[in-house]
């Protein structure tokens, strides 16, 4: 195990869990059955190659949740093992499951990422062409599967048409002051709004009631005059500055800082790595991936609702501020974070929220935290024995990157675990037919 650098007042990021619990890369054509276990995992991998066209991570996880729900619902309209998310009529039992998966995934991706239409169409054509001929006992099975997939895609696209995603941003007018979030350099070029996703907390959730159901309360560290805040301030000032991290790019801290924003927090890639070799079928994969993406989406709604409720400043602004009223914090007007600061407030943290939600679904699904996986991101290979270790590292990554205070990242993981447990317990349950 690696050892973590300690500073006064530093807490352990994520406490060890009990043993038992009830995106980016080269574009490639993923042929069915060629890369992963089945058509469900293959289309999940393909979605990763085009999902950047959906926008920023919050927008991407909305599209991925819709895609995986459509895949799940299409399969369960053919053989209803789990309850569907959208109300669908029964498809023929002779329908091709792989055709249904392809049509469902492609249907949602076409509707939500039109800029990637040529790639989606090519993937879909290759998937359908690779299907075996229908047996004599089931003539028309491919067409029936396509019909099931198209119906599932249309249902979820229709259901999400007025979910609030068309207006993700709001004007930000709070004046500078101690503790108050302000835009940080470098700002996105026009016409991108800045800051971003001020209205994402009002997006219609997939499962939770609203953005306050599992929202965090005010943390003690939000009090700028407290020792708790000073400890957090001094940790990120010491560990997350560009000067310190860039001087040791091969250190464990610098690698962790780059790994997670470089793809190490891709929950779909993690899920595909976790399920590899476990012998799950298409229905089980589809349910797991749908639950993961629903939970991540709803966790981000919770997170952004809280971000713009507290409007807490980022380390970039805090450490440069001349006098925050705390004698234990000494400003550094030249401080720059190792990783570029994202364009929205600090508390709670977004990336650890996605990790907390996604891996909690996997813990609940498999009944254990001990789910080893390996994943390379930003050219950095890493392996984990327990999901909680990956969560802990995702918290460290934001501190070592200089873009978050630790307490907001810990809270992000904790709140998102609660979101994920709710999603797992209430959605896509076993069918009683």
């Amino acid at each position: 195990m690696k050892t973590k650098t300690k500073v006064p007042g530093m807490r352990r990021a994520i406490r060890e869990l009990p043993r038992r619990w009830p995106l980016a890369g080269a574009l490639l054509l993923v042929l069915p059955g060629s890369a992963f276990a089945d058509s469900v995992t293959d289309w999940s991998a393909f979605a990763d190659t085009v999902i950047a066209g959906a926008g920023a991570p919050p927008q991407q996880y909305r599209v991925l949740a819709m895609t995986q729900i459509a895949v799940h619902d299409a399969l369960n309209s053919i053989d209803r093992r789990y309850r569907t998310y959208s109300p669908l009529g029964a498809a023929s039992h002779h329908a091709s499951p792989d055709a249904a998966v392809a049509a469902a995934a492609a249907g949602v991706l076409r509707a939500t990422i039109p800029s990637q239409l040529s790639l989606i169409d090519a993937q879909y054509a290759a998937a359908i062409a690779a299907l075996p001929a229908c047996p004599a006992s089931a003539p028309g099975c491919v067409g029936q599967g396509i019909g099931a997939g198209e119906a599932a895609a249309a249902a979820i696209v229709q259901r999400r048409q007025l979910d609030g995603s068309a207006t993700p941003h709001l004007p930000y007018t709070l004046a500078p002051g101690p503790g108050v979030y302000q835009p940080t350099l470098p700002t996105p070029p026009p016409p991108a709004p800045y800051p971003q996703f001020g209205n994402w907390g009002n997006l219609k959730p997939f499962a939770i009631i609203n953005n306050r159901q599992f929202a965090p309360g005010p943390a003690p560290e939000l009090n700028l005059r407290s020792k708790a805040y000073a400890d957090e301030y001094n940790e990120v000032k010491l560990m997350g500055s560009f000067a310190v991290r860039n001087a040791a790019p091969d250190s464990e801290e610098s690698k962790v800082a780059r790994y997670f924003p470089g793809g190490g927090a891709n929950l779909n890639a993690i899920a595909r790595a976790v399920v590899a070799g476990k012998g799950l079928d298409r229905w089980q994969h589809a349910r797991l991936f749908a639950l993961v993406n629903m939970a991540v989406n709803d966790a981000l709604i919770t997170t952004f609702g809280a971000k713009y409720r507290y409007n807490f400043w980022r380390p970039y602004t805090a450490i440069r501020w001349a006098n925050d009223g705390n004698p234990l914090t000494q400003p550094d007007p030249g401080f720059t974070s190792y990783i570029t600061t994202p364009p929205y407030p600090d508390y709670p943290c977004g990336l650890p929220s996605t990790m907390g939600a996604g891996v909690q679904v996997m813990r609940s699904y498999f009944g254990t935290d001990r789910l080893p996986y390996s994943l390379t991101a930003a050219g950095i290979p890493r392996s984990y024995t327990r999901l909680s270790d990956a969560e802990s590292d995702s918290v460290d990554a934001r501190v070592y990157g200089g873009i978050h205070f630790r307490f907001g990242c810990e809270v992000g993981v904790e709140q998102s675990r609660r979101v994920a447990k709710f999603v797992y317990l209430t959605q896509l349950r076993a069918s009683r037919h």
Side-chain angles (χ1 to χ4, degrees), residues 32-372:
S34 63
F36 294 98
D38 55 32
S39 57
V40 175
T41 46
D42 284 339
W43 274 95
S44 169
F46 172 75
D48 277 352
T49 71
V50 296
I51 196 60
Q59 295 159 314
Q60 292 175 19
Y61 276 108
R62 170 186 172 269
V63 170
L64 290 167
M66 293 171 63
T67 303
Q68 298 303 332
I69 286 170
V71 168
H72 171 273
D73 284 2
L75 287 171
N76 284 279
S77 71
I78 298 170
D79 181 0
R80 202 171 294 274
R81 302 182 192 178
Y82 304 103
R83 300 175 192 173
T84 58
Y85 183 81
S86 300
L88 292 175
S92 169
H93 286 294
H94 297 302
S96 165
D98 292 324
V101 169
V108 173
L109 294 173
R110 287 185 185 118
T112 53
I113 319 179
S115 64
Q116 303 296 311
L117 192 58
S118 61
L119 290 169
I120 298 165
D121 284 347
Q123 172 69 11
Y124 177 72
I128 297 301
L131 294 175
C134 296
S137 60
C141 68
V142 171
Q144 292 167 347
I146 290 172
E150 289 177 343
I156 192 63
V157 169
Q158 175 65 30
R159 191 166 181 172
R160 300 298 301 188
Q161 276 191 340
L162 300 176
D163 64 0
S165 59
T167 54
H169 312 302
L170 288 175
Y172 186 81
T173 58
L174 292 183
V180 179
Y181 171 76
Q182 293 298 308
T184 57
L185 296 174
T187 59
Y194 197 87
Q196 296 180 350
F197 297 104
N199 201 33
W200 202 255
N202 295 317
L203 185 76
K204 179 182 177 181
F206 283 92
I208 64 174
I209 298 169
N210 55 45
N211 67 28
R212 290 181 178 268
Q213 184 178 1
F214 298 102
E221 293 86 349
L222 295 176
N223 177 2
L224 300 188
R225 296 179 181 271
S226 67
K227 183 178 183 300
Y229 170 73
D231 289 342
E232 301 272 343
Y233 175 107
N234 288 318
E235 180 190 11
V236 70
K237 179 183 175 184
L238 173 65
M239 300 299 297
S241 76
F242 181 86
V244 169
R245 295 272 63 83
N246 196 51
D250 294 326
S251 67
E252 171 72 357
E253 293 83 0
S254 297
K255 287 180 178 178
V256 167
R258 299 195 305 272
Y259 176 79
F260 283 91
N266 180 338
L267 271 303
N268 288 283
I270 293 172
R272 292 193 300 271
V274 164
V275 301
K278 285 189 165 50
L280 302 184
D281 64 24
R282 285 166 294 198
W283 277 256
Q284 292 168 315
H285 282 151
R287 177 172 177 257
L288 175 62
F289 292 172
L291 290 171
V292 164
N293 287 282
M294 291 165 68
V296 172
N297 180 87
D298 284 9
L300 285 172
I301 290 172
T302 303
T303 294
F304 277 94
K307 279 182 180 291
Y308 285 97
R309 194 171 304 125
Y310 294 105
N311 294 296
F312 194 64
W313 63 4
R314 291 277 187 162
Y316 182 97
T317 306
I319 295 170
R320 288 168 165 254
W321 197 263
N323 181 11
D324 61 13
N326 191 326
L328 300 177
T329 61
Q330 296 300 312
D332 176 2
F335 176 86
T336 301
S337 58
Y338 182 50
I339 302 296
T340 299
T341 300
Y344 26 78
D346 183 281
Y347 178 80
C349 310
L351 184 148
S353 292
T354 68
M355 287 293 294
V359 303
Q360 179 57 50
V361 167
M362 296 179 220
R363 270 194 292 263
S364 296
Y365 191 94
F366 290 105
T368 181
D369 183 50
R370 191 171 289 276
L371 291 167

Side-chain angles (χ1 to χ4, degrees), residues 368-388:
T368 181
D369 183 50
R370 191 171 289 276
L371 291 167
Y373 75 90
S374 297
L375 185 67
T376 296
I380 303 167
R382 293 186 74 82
S383 296
Y384 291 98
T385 301
R386 298 179 301 179
L387 297 180
S388 53

